[in-house]
Amino acid sequence: MNLDPALLEILVCPQCRATLFVDDDASELVCNACALAYPVRRDIPVMLVDEARSLA
């Protein structure tokens, strides 16, 4: 997964506005606050709550 570090600094969870953490193994951006994992497809984060995977 190849994401621009500047982009990662400004991206937040669209549901709760918490900081996201990179999970390179799963190609996801993870929000620990609301337990959602947002997919990254072709190095593009899909920041839609409906597309997120629940971690709970």
Side-chain angles (χ1 to χ4, degrees), residues 17-49:
R17 304 286 185 236
T19 302
L20 297 169
F21 299 93
V22 176
D23 182 349
D24 281 320
D25 295 334
S27 293
E28 295 176 326
L29 295 176
V30 177
C31 175
N32 289 330
C34 62
L36 290 175
Y38 297 92
V40 177
R41 299 184 185 128
R42 296 183 183 160
D43 294 333
I44 300 171
V46 180
M47 304 306 296
L48 301 171
V49 175

Side-chain angles (χ1 to χ4, degrees), residues 4-27:
D4 184 350
L7 177 63
L8 290 174
E9 285 183 27
I10 61 172
L11 281 180
V12 294
C13 176
Q15 180 165 297
C16 71
R17 304 286 185 236
T19 302
L20 297 169
F21 299 93
V22 176
D23 182 349
D24 281 320
D25 295 334
S27 293

